[in-house]
Amino acid sequence: MKILLTIIMCSAVSDTCLAPFTFDEPYNSTYECMIDGYTKALEKTIELGKEEVNKHDIYIKFMCEKDNKPLI
């Protein structure tokens, strides 16, 4: 079974989150998904920069879920 990574970026200041984004490329294991989730969250935090993250109290959450779509 494949695992899909979904990332959600939120602002604690406005108490809102952007729409969840699920990556198309599946992972072979939860471990691989988790490592890439932390990596992508770190990369996005760095891309946004210290000023924007602090100004909007941005945080990123993610989840690794089994892809339950039937195989065709």
Side-chain angles (χ1 to χ4, degrees):
M1 182 167 290
K2 298 296 181 176
I3 309 294
L4 296 176
L5 173 63
T6 300
I7 289 185
I8 304 169
M9 188 167 57
C10 302
S11 167
V13 169
S14 62
D15 197 30
T16 58
C17 296
L18 296 177
F21 177 80
T22 301
F23 291 88
D24 292 329
E25 190 66 33
Y27 298 87
N28 293 317
S29 70
T30 301
Y31 176 84
E32 291 173 7
C33 179
M34 292 289 293
I35 294 298
D36 205 35
Y38 284 115
T39 301
K40 288 184 185 323
L42 175 60
E43 289 170 351
K44 183 50 110 174
T45 301
I46 292 169
E47 178 186 327
L48 290 167
K50 184 178 184 178
E51 185 176 319
E52 286 299 306
V53 170
N54 288 334
K55 179 180 177 183
H56 301 285
D57 286 340
I58 293 172
Y59 61 96
I60 298 171
K61 53 187 178 178
F62 68 89
M63 61 196 107
C64 296
E65 298 180 303
K66 292 178 183 174
D67 182 5
N68 292 322
K69 289 187 284 187
L71 299 174
I72 297 174

